[in-house]
Amino acid sequence: MPAFNIETCARPNILALEPYRCARDDYKDDGTNILLDANENAYGPAINHTDVTQDTTTTSSAPGPSLDFLTLHRYPDPHQHDLKQLLCNLRNTHAHTPKTLTPEHLFVGVGSDEAIDALLRCFCIPGRDRILTCPPTYGMYSVSAQVNDVGLVKVPLLPAPEFQLDVDAISQTLSSEEGKTIKLVYLCSPGNPTGSLLSKSSVEKILAHPTWNGVVVLDEAYIDFAPEDASLAELVTEYPNLVVLQTLSKAFGLAGIRLGAAFASPEVARLLNALKAPYNVSSPTVAIASYALDPKRGLNMMRENVSKLMTQRDRLLEELPKIPGVGRLRGGKESNFLLYEMLDTQGRPDNVTALAVYERLAEEKGVVVRFRGKEHGCEGCLRVTVGTEEEVGRFLEALRRTLEEVRGVKAGKDEERREEAASGVVA
Ligand SMILES: *Cc1c(COP(=O)(O)O)cnc(C)c1O
């Protein structure tokens, strides 16, 4: 027997990790389920179908993404200059500064998840440094911190429905003795799962902290669902301590290609580019991303799909409050998902009800949403991704029936009632 012992050989912080779980581990996509759990773009990728059905393998002047299969034996471009310029063009709105973003301000990676991790490896010394997060928030910040053996300091957002930054509490923490070990503050705007856009002035107050030596990371994964000019990406030209994360996974409908970006000062961008694996982004990914970001090709389609989703979001905002058992909207409307309370028969937000609704929706109605009731300040909440017109119709009907069943108010279905009583779901 070799002397190898994984328990003493692997790093303790890695041994302590829980494997990533998503709602789809519980409910597989069998092709019939409506998937409203992962905030993907229900209307699909920002790619015109007639474009891609043409032959795009041989000529770069083809209208579709020019996927040149014949050069796949070559390594991809490690600098991704042209793709970075397209990302800059999208964010150079000059709504926040007259200064201009250039490719020197960018790092691109395998989803924004790579940037989240790269920043940790760039700034935090394992076993010593920490990051600050503001729950309820995206889970990857703390997972990446744990992988890198970096500590976590939590300063919760102010209560729902605003879910804004507690600027005073964050500033005090950054001023404290502990604050000296905090290298990164991860903020999410619009927030996941809150859907709230953080106010620009609150972000600027943290950026302007007088003594703290660290970086503010502003995750704008959902920014294209927010009002025009909401992105603060161009502010990296003003603040050397700001990094803004974006992704093609949500509004662009391209979660499958794994492309994320970090806008930063040229100095920080240089570090991130120096530490990455040289060929981190594949050439098919660059080709599809370049198509999607081209104003004459994918960009219009992205905007059309976002506008269709906004129509369905407004429909949900109108219809959900009419369903008995649906409580308050928590958080904002600046994203492609909504966070709603589920109520017990007493009218109180309730995790038992929310969890039962979540499970029954998936198992009996084929609609997968996300249970968020365990998150800070989200008691009884489900997070529902906005779907297509048809999906939203089916979801609303399924939710209405499920809440009737779970809350035991459905008339004339005694058998179902007995079943529910036996499983303890009826309050
Ligand atoms: C979905 C999401 C991302 C996207 O991650 P990718 O790795 O780019 O797919 C990033 N941040 C938040 C808050 C998200 O919800």
Side-chain angles (χ1 to χ4, degrees):
M1 277 287 281
F4 173 68
N5 177 348
I6 194 167
E7 297 294 332
T8 50
C9 187
R11 295 166 64 189
N13 57 305
I14 304 296
L15 286 166
L17 284 170
E18 297 284 343
Y20 179 77
R21 278 197 77 76
C22 58
R24 263 164 243 183
D25 296 323
D26 300 332
Y27 306 111
K28 287 271 178 307
D29 180 15
D30 61 1
T32 60
N33 283 347
I34 297 184
L35 299 175
L36 306 179
D37 57 317
N39 301 342
E40 296 144 328
N41 190 319
Y43 283 102
I47 294 177
N48 191 319
H49 284 261
T50 55
D51 281 1
V52 282
T53 49
Q54 304 191 16
D55 180 10
T56 60
T57 56
T58 48
T59 158
S60 59
S61 61
S66 33
L67 289 179
D68 192 346
F69 292 117
L70 297 178
T71 57
L72 283 179
H73 59 306
R74 299 295 176 201
Y75 278 104
D77 168 19
H79 307 299
Q80 306 113 350
H81 180 276
D82 296 350
L83 174 63
K84 288 176 180 173
Q85 187 60 57
L86 288 169
L87 286 160
C88 291
N89 297 350
L90 179 66
R91 298 309 172 199
N92 276 323
T93 60
H94 299 303
H96 304 284
T97 172
K99 294 185 183 158
T100 299
L101 294 163
T102 64
E104 287 67 48
H105 291 98
L106 269 169
F107 162 84
V108 297
V110 182
S112 25
D113 288 348
E114 182 179 353
I116 290 168
D117 189 70
L119 284 157
L120 272 153
R121 286 184 289 138
C122 186
F123 288 102
C124 298
I125 297 177
R128 189 193 85 176
D129 289 337
R130 293 170 229 255
I131 65 165
L132 186 150
T133 64
C134 301
T137 193
Y138 187 48
M140 274 309 288
Y141 314 138
S142 60
V143 171
S144 252
Q146 189 183 345
V147 167
N148 289 289
D149 200 13
V150 164
L152 187 63
V153 178
K154 296 182 188 173
V155 178
L157 294 172
L158 294 170
E162 286 79 15
F163 280 127
Q164 286 294 316
L165 295 177
D166 190 342
V167 175
D168 291 340
I170 295 172
S171 299
Q172 273 172 32
T173 304
L174 296 178
S175 304
S176 69
E177 198 55 36
E178 185 181 47
K180 288 182 186 148
T181 63
I182 296 174
K183 291 291 187 65
L184 302 169
V185 171
Y186 280 92
L187 308 177
C188 195
S189 176
N192 176 6
T194 67
S196 299
L197 201 62
L198 299 176
S199 85
K200 179 180 171 183
S201 66
S202 65
V203 175
E204 287 194 299
K205 276 183 200 140
I206 297 166
L207 285 166
H209 192 283
T211 58
W212 176 58
N213 178 14
V215 173
V216 174
V217 184
L218 185 65
D219 185 342
E220 291 189 341
Y222 299 96
I223 201 64
D224 290 299
F225 299 108
E228 214 174 306
D229 297 340
S231 173
L232 299 182
E234 25 172 44
L235 281 186
V236 303
T237 62
E238 301 279 356
Y239 293 96
N241 58 336
L242 174 64
V243 174
V244 176
L245 304 183
Q246 296 189 346
T247 177
L248 297 196
S249 295
K250 307 289 159 57
F252 284 89
L254 291 169
I257 69 168
R258 312 300 305 125
L259 192 104
F263 289 89
S265 70
E267 292 74 21
V268 170
R270 195 171 304 128
L271 294 183
L272 295 174
N273 283 307
L275 74 80
K276 79 180 177 77
Y279 307 112
N280 58 333
V281 180
S282 76
S283 38
T285 289
V286 170
I288 296 169
S290 303
Y291 171 97
L293 288 160
D294 185 332
K296 293 197 287 294
R297 307 204 282 175
L299 206 51
N300 279 335
M301 188 139 178
M302 182 275 274
R303 294 198 168 116
E304 278 166 30
N305 286 344
V306 165
S307 139
K308 283 190 223 165
L309 288 169
M310 299 301 87
T311 304
Q312 295 310 312
R313 178 184 65 186
D314 292 345
R315 178 176 167 212
L316 284 167
L317 287 165
E318 170 96 16
E319 298 299 325
L320 279 169
K322 297 180 189 164
I323 297 176
V326 172
R328 298 167 296 179
L329 171 72
R330 311 307 272 159
K333 311 165 187 175
E334 279 94 27
S335 203
N336 69 332
F337 56 86
L338 296 168
L339 189 67
Y340 266 96
E341 288 171 344
M342 300 295 122
L343 308 178
D344 65 14
T345 48
Q346 250 81 139
R348 291 171 306 214
D350 176 40
N351 272 354
V352 175
T353 307
L355 201 52
V357 169
Y358 162 73
E359 286 171 356
R360 275 173 173 253
L361 271 177
E363 285 164 23
E364 293 164 21
K365 314 287 193 306
V367 180
V368 186
V369 299
R370 200 97 205 248
F371 172 67
R372 295 281 81 172
K374 294 269 170 61
E375 304 294 311
H376 181 92
C378 300
E379 179 76 19
C381 282
L382 297 181
R383 191 195 68 193
V384 183
T385 306
V386 178
T388 63
E389 182 175 6
E390 198 221 321
E391 288 173 343
V392 168
R394 268 180 64 188
F395 162 71
L396 285 167
E397 177 56 21
L399 180 66
R400 194 184 55 72
R401 283 192 289 130
T402 305
L403 273 163
E404 278 177 3
E405 292 161 14
V406 166
R407 299 168 91 232
V409 295
K410 195 172 182 182
K413 285 241 175 173
D414 291 337
E415 202 182 292
E416 218 166 68
R417 283 230 193 119
R418 273 201 300 276
E419 228 175 72
E420 286 165 2
S423 65
V425 183
V426 175

